[in-house]
Amino acid sequence: SKQDITTGKELPGAKLKVVDKDGKTVDEWTSGNKPHRINRLKTGKYTLIEEFAPKGYVKAADITFEVRETEDVQKVSMHDDHTKVKISKQDITTGKELPGAELEIVDEHGKTYDKWTSTDKPHLIERMPVGKYTLKEKVHPDGYLFASEIQFEVKETGEVQKVVMKDDYTKIDISKQ
């Protein structure tokens, strides 16, 4: 069974294989909406390997298991964690979250992946596909200047990946008034 680590639901789209103790592939498949069944495996030790994780997920560690001599169905479950990206829009001086900026993330092919208006809390994106992106500010909050675009890469990890964009405030020279 190939499952999402948080929901426990079957996770389609993972490329999996089972190898024997000698490293010989005994079965390979792409996960679907139901557990995969392998019949008539000989007793012994095997390893379940995820070759590719579905988009937005992190490849799981290999699982070694043993097939015992029994008529009972023996189950092996592999769980995939997912990517987590936290986008923080901050005031350059205070480091506090800055509401009111319209932000957009564009993938490496120029396609908009996500857009939102910043609030007093960072924006969390889960299950974002691994790859390179650009964070753009489309509208800046009143009293602030546009921030430079930020290039970032979503890596294959279940750890929270942080991207911070800072806005500088407009400066007015009152000595000339």
Side-chain angles (χ1 to χ4, degrees), residues 1 4 24-25 31 33 39 41 43-44 56 63 71 73 95 100 109 113 120 128 130 147 149 152-153 162 168 171 173:
S1 181
D4 179 296
K24 181 181 172 198
T25 300
S31 63
N33 294 323
N39 293 317
L41 272 180
T43 58
I63 296 176
E71 291 180 12
V73 174
H109 305 292
Y113 179 80
D120 60 347
M128 191 170 184
V130 170
E149 293 179 353
F152 67 98
E153 184 173 359
K162 296 178 183 173
D168 201 355
K171 299 171 181 98
D173 187 354

Side-chain angles (χ1 to χ4, degrees), residues 104-108 110-113 132-136:
E104 176 182 55
I105 294 176
V106 177
D107 68 17
E108 57 194 324
K111 184 178 174 193
T112 299
Y113 179 80
K132 294 182 180 183
Y133 297 88
T134 303
L135 174 62
K136 299 178 179 186

Side-chain angles (χ1 to χ4, degrees), residues 26-109:
V26 295
D27 197 6
E28 54 189 327
W29 69 98
T30 300
S31 63
N33 294 323
K34 294 189 246 177
H36 179 74
R37 187 177 184 116
I38 305 173
N39 293 317
R40 296 181 180 85
L41 272 180
K42 294 179 182 178
T43 58
K45 293 193 179 197
Y46 295 88
T47 304
L48 174 60
I49 300 169
E50 181 172 25
E51 295 183 296
F52 299 103
K55 286 185 179 183
Y57 286 85
V58 178
K59 201 164 63 165
D62 297 350
I63 296 176
T64 300
F65 63 97
E66 186 169 357
V67 173
R68 298 175 312 279
E69 192 169 330
T70 177
E71 291 180 12
D72 296 333
V73 174
Q74 298 171 53
K75 298 177 183 180
V76 178
S77 294
M78 178 180 271
H79 298 89
D80 273 6
D81 200 351
H82 57 272
T83 61
K84 301 164 207 69
V85 180
K86 190 177 280 189
I87 310 289
S88 182
K89 180 64 173 170
Q90 299 177 357
D91 178 294
I92 198 167
T93 307
T94 66
K96 291 183 179 181
E97 291 299 316
L98 184 58
E102 289 182 26
L103 303 171
E104 176 182 55
I105 294 176
V106 177
D107 68 17
E108 57 194 324
H109 305 292

Side-chain angles (χ1 to χ4, degrees), residues 129-163:
V130 170
K132 294 182 180 183
Y133 297 88
T134 303
L135 174 62
K136 299 178 179 186
E137 183 172 34
K138 304 304 270 181
V139 175
H140 61 80
D142 288 341
Y144 288 86
L145 303 170
F146 277 103
S148 298
E149 293 179 353
I150 295 178
Q151 316 261 311
F152 67 98
E153 184 173 359
V154 175
K155 298 187 173 149
E156 189 172 335
T157 177
E159 300 295 318
V160 175
Q161 300 171 65
K162 296 178 183 173
V163 179

